[in-house]
Amino acid sequence: MVLLRLPEAHDVATMALGCQDPEVARWTNLPSPYTEHDARSWAQKVNNPVHWWDEPTWVIADTENRWCGSVHLESEQEGAARVRFLVAPELRGRGIATRAVRLACRWGFSSLRLNVITWRALIGNEAARSVAQQAGFSVHNQIMRRGLAHRGKLMDCWFADLIPDDLVDAHSGQVWSGPQLTRREREVLHAMAAGLSNREIADSLGISENTVKNHVRSILEKLPAKSRMEAVVKGVQEGITRLT
Ligand SMILES: CC(C)(COP(=O)(O)OP(=O)(O)OC[C@H]1O[C@@H](n2cnc3c(N)ncnc32)[C@H](O)[C@@H]1OP(=O)(O)O)[C@@H](O)C(=O)NCCC(=O)NCCS
């Protein structure tokens, strides 16, 4: 079983070590050499409650909550995202990436209402190709020329796509996704956490005060919360926002 969750402070050292693997440098765009500073910056970026939704990213953890790798869905055009993933070298070959990709894709189809998830990898990345195939992606036989940016150069790549009906059953796992607030509701909640009034929120987002009130009402219903204060507290507890 794998768990997809947000990065935690104890992941930094393990992640830095895992990402120093030469195969990670060979097949991904992660900094090389990879340092603890890189891991910490990544964790901070991922833990941003508003921007997380632009590019949902998870740590893959095992049942003992140890860092095993990461998976993320990078936005493409409307309704589409591209999946990327990596697993710690000592944990490969146990089906961890396959399970994590299935879970992330299922979540993307249901929570983000994606229509298609794509995958691209440099030619020769057999392990990644096998993960895509086992997760249900249609891996095309052709090569996409100059289809993948790798370390500043456009490279030929393998490519594949997955639509909801293709998804091989995602079993035994959990995905953190928090309450289902829309992007606008998350922005409003974030502004509430910063102590802004409805008028100030309306001005900062360029919308009317009435629209802000509607968003606040919807946020209170979804969390659920009885007051703005309780909504902010719950938002912080759920990791959707933070006090600034
Ligand atoms: C790709 C990667 C995430 C796979 O992680 P994993 O947890 O080992 O993946 P899984 O165990 O779910 O599946 C790997 C499959 O690839 C197969 N495989 C591994 N190396 C292979 C190789 N060199 N040639 C062919 N198949 C290979 C495994 O046998 C396994 O298939 P099986 O289940 O039929 O035995 C991992 O190798 C990795 O992190 N690589 C570096 C980063 C990377 O390439 N990321 C992908 C970018 S798109």
Side-chain angles (χ1 to χ4, degrees):
M1 159 150 155
V2 297
L3 168 76
L4 303 188
R5 61 160 170 78
L6 292 179
E8 293 169 3
H10 63 90
D11 295 325
V12 167
T14 335
M15 178 175 173
L17 209 59
C19 293
Q20 282 162 13
D21 168 50
E23 291 293 290
V24 170
R26 181 176 176 201
W27 300 118
T28 77
N29 279 319
L30 289 195
S32 175
Y34 197 90
T35 64
E36 286 206 7
H37 178 261
D38 294 318
R40 202 167 296 111
S41 310
W42 179 85
Q44 268 163 9
K45 186 170 159 236
V46 173
N47 270 317
N48 180 315
V50 174
H51 298 303
W52 185 85
W53 297 85
D54 295 333
E55 199 170 311
T57 305
W58 298 267
V59 159
I60 309 170
D62 62 13
T63 47
E64 283 159 45
N65 200 28
R66 284 178 304 208
W67 182 89
C68 300
S70 64
V71 58
H72 79 253
L73 294 174
E74 183 187 343
S75 295
E76 290 191 311
Q77 72 274 27
E78 193 67 22
R82 187 182 323 163
V83 69
R84 294 171 195 255
F85 44 87
L86 66 88
V87 162
E90 69 280 8
L91 299 173
R92 291 184 191 150
R94 301 178 190 183
I96 291 176
T98 303
R99 287 202 291 276
V101 168
R102 286 176 186 161
L103 278 170
C105 292
R106 163 149 303 179
W107 182 89
F109 289 134
S110 63
S111 295
L112 297 183
R113 303 263 175 259
L114 294 174
N115 295 314
V116 62
I117 298 176
T118 62
W119 164 87
R120 289 184 196 182
L122 292 177
I123 293 167
N125 193 346
E126 300 283 353
R129 186 183 174 101
S130 172
V131 169
Q133 262 159 347
Q134 294 188 70
F137 279 75
S138 287
V139 181
H140 302 286
N141 285 326
Q142 302 97 314
I143 283 170
M144 186 184 288
R145 293 197 299 164
R146 312 276 157 90
L148 191 62
H150 183 70
R151 305 210 178 276
K153 268 176 83 177
L154 283 180
M155 307 291 285
D156 296 349
C157 66
W158 286 333
F159 64 107
D161 47 59
L162 182 87
I163 58 172
D165 286 349
D166 296 335
L167 191 59
V168 177
D169 198 31
H171 52 85
S172 62
Q174 296 169 23
V175 186
W176 177 89
S177 63
Q180 303 296 303
L181 300 190
T182 63
R183 176 187 299 234
R184 193 52 117 188
E185 287 164 357
R186 290 192 301 273
E187 285 169 352
V188 171
L189 181 62
H190 201 48
M192 285 159 62
L196 269 57
S197 67
N198 284 353
R199 179 74 263 152
E200 289 167 327
I201 297 173
D203 289 345
S204 71
L205 298 179
I207 54 179
S208 75
E209 200 171 340
N210 266 344
T211 309
V212 174
K213 282 183 191 160
N214 288 338
H215 285 313
V216 172
R217 196 171 309 121
S218 171
I219 292 167
L220 296 187
E221 270 169 25
K222 286 184 180 176
L223 283 173
K226 292 196 184 70
S227 65
R228 293 169 80 94
M229 179 66 84
E230 193 187 348
V232 169
V233 170
K234 279 203 168 172
V236 171
Q237 283 168 348
E238 297 277 359
I240 313 167
T241 193
R242 62 171 60 139
L243 297 173
T244 48

